[in-house]
């Protein structure tokens, strides 16, 4: 079954698997070393209820996106790949809204990475869909 995916598709699936593994690791890091995870993202940790929400939401976001991607690669599922791609891809418009509406700093580098991840994983989903 995997042989029906083109070489380019296999490369895209490999890239999606790497992104999936990376986001899964980031999610686990949020659970076991939130200071490191937040620092890597340029964020400071909140306190009290906000800390519980920050760790829980951030871990679930990264674990969800990462595991959707990994599962999508393993099962050659375009739906799971797209779910992971969309989770990451929707962060970019959120950042732009935060900048324009709420006075947050503009963060072009993370936005570019999020858009790139979205495009590559969506392309992997398309490659699986077309087989």
């Amino acid at each position: 079954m995997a042989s029906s995916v083109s070489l380019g598709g296999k490369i895209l699936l490999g890239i999606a698997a790497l992104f999936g593994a990376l986001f899964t690791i980031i999610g686990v890091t949020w659970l076991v070393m939130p200071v490191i995870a937040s620092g890597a993202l340029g964020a400071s940790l909140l306190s009290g209820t906000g800390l519980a929400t920050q760790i829980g939401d951030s871990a679930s976001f990264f674990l969800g996106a990462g595991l959707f991607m990994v599962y999508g690669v393993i099962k050659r599922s375009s739906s799971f790949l797209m779910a992971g791609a969309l989770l990451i891809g929707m962060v970019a418009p959120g950042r732009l809204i935060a900048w324009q509406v709420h006075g947050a700093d503009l963060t072009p580098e993370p936005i570019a990475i999020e858009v790139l991840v979205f495009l590559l994983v969506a392309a992997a989903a398309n490659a699986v869909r077309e087989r």
Side-chain angles (χ1 to χ4, degrees), residues 70-127:
V70 169
Y71 186 80
V73 169
I74 291 169
K75 294 295 186 176
R76 301 297 195 258
S77 170
S78 62
S79 296
F80 278 93
L81 285 164
M82 279 308 300
L86 285 168
L87 278 169
I88 298 301
M90 291 306 298
V91 177
R95 288 181 188 273
L96 291 170
I97 290 168
W99 168 58
Q100 284 294 302
V101 177
H102 302 292
D105 289 343
L106 177 62
T107 55
E109 294 86 3
I111 290 170
I113 292 168
E114 290 148 5
V115 170
L116 179 64
V117 169
F118 169 77
L119 292 172
L120 290 170
V121 178
N126 190 51

Side-chain angles (χ1 to χ4, degrees), residues 7-104:
L7 177 60
K10 289 178 182 176
I11 292 169
L12 288 167
L13 285 170
I15 292 168
L18 291 173
F19 283 135
L22 173 65
F23 292 128
T24 300
I25 290 167
I26 293 170
V28 170
T29 303
W30 268 106
L31 294 174
V32 298
M33 297 179 284
V35 170
I36 292 172
S38 63
L41 298 175
S44 57
L45 287 178
L46 303 173
S47 61
T49 304
L51 179 61
T53 300
Q54 182 183 28
I55 292 172
D57 289 358
S58 297
S60 66
F61 168 78
F62 283 106
L63 285 168
L67 292 173
F68 278 147
M69 289 178 200
V70 169
Y71 186 80
V73 169
I74 291 169
K75 294 295 186 176
R76 301 297 195 258
S77 170
S78 62
S79 296
F80 278 93
L81 285 164
M82 279 308 300
L86 285 168
L87 278 169
I88 298 301
M90 291 306 298
V91 177
R95 288 181 188 273
L96 291 170
I97 290 168
W99 168 58
Q100 284 294 302
V101 177
H102 302 292

